[in-house]
Amino acid sequence: MHGPALSGWLLVALCALTGVYCLLRMRACAGQERRAAGGEAVMGFGMAFMALPAAVLTPPGWSWAVYAAVFGATALHGLLAVRHGAHHLHHLVGSLAMVYMAVAMALPGAPGAHAGHVTAGAGGIPVLTGGLLLYYAVYVLRAGARLVPVAAPAGGPAPTGGAGRVGGPEMTLACRLSMALGMVAMLVTL
């Protein structure tokens, strides 16, 4: 996750703001939606920290093991949650992708693994990275298509759905879309 500094900072801002929004959303909801918002907040802040430009912060070697452990625990939680509904599968994939990126960054020769020792070709297993990129690209396209407003038929009632609400379902979907875009950016620069 070590590309040009400006794009790195933009990714940090996007992921951190998404994490903050998820925390705020967590305060406003209950039950399963609250747990989902909490998991998304962890994901947003984790992605923000992982995306920090290397010039600002070169993480110590042990930090990738901490990432793998934290997101391994969230993947285990996601695996247990999948039993309650297939919609939890996306959180499981996201957690496993974070574990994968943390492990890839911890390997010798990975950018950021050992300060000053960047080896070309490091970055994980190309087939797995490509599969994750494909998954997130499809997710982004589907989520983006669901955010496109539907025009009201001529003479019919205007569509409803809370489009103007700050915490409406559209905002939650936009939050998930922005994290998926961030994941695409991080996988591309892995």
Side-chain angles (χ1 to χ4, degrees), residues 2 9 22 24 32 35 54 61-62 69 71 73 84 89-91 104-105 109 114 127 129 134 145 160 173 184:
H2 299 287
W9 281 115
C22 291
L24 293 173
Q32 190 61 30
R35 285 188 288 279
W62 55 265
F71 286 103
H84 301 293
L89 193 56
H90 178 69
H91 290 190
M105 293 302 291
H114 304 287
V127 171
T129 304
L134 180 63
T160 59
L173 184 58
V184 168

Side-chain angles (χ1 to χ4, degrees), residues 33-172:
E33 184 65 25
R34 181 182 174 96
R35 285 188 288 279
E40 290 166 359
V42 169
M43 182 71 72
F45 290 126
M47 288 172 64
F49 190 74
M50 193 180 271
L52 280 171
V56 173
L57 176 71
T58 301
W62 55 265
S63 67
W64 302 116
V66 171
Y67 268 110
V70 167
F71 286 103
T74 61
L76 181 59
H77 183 267
L79 185 62
L80 296 173
V82 167
R83 296 180 308 163
H84 301 293
H87 60 279
H88 295 286
L89 193 56
H90 178 69
H91 290 190
L92 175 62
V93 171
S95 296
L96 290 173
M98 291 294 281
V99 170
Y100 168 67
M101 287 189 289
V103 169
M105 293 302 291
L107 296 174
H114 304 287
H117 296 97
V118 177
T119 304
I125 303 166
V127 171
L128 185 53
T129 304
L132 287 168
L133 277 168
L134 180 63
Y135 170 81
Y136 279 105
V138 169
Y139 184 88
V140 164
L141 291 173
R142 288 185 68 210
R146 290 191 341 222
L147 282 173
V148 174
V150 178
T160 59
R165 292 185 332 202
V166 173
E170 295 87 1
M171 189 66 175
T172 300

Side-chain angles (χ1 to χ4, degrees), residues 6-29:
L6 178 60
S7 61
W9 281 115
L10 290 172
L11 185 58
V12 168
L14 175 72
C15 294
L17 288 173
T18 301
V20 168
Y21 171 75
C22 291
L23 284 178
L24 293 173
R25 195 174 94 227
M26 196 173 145
R27 291 182 54 198
C29 56

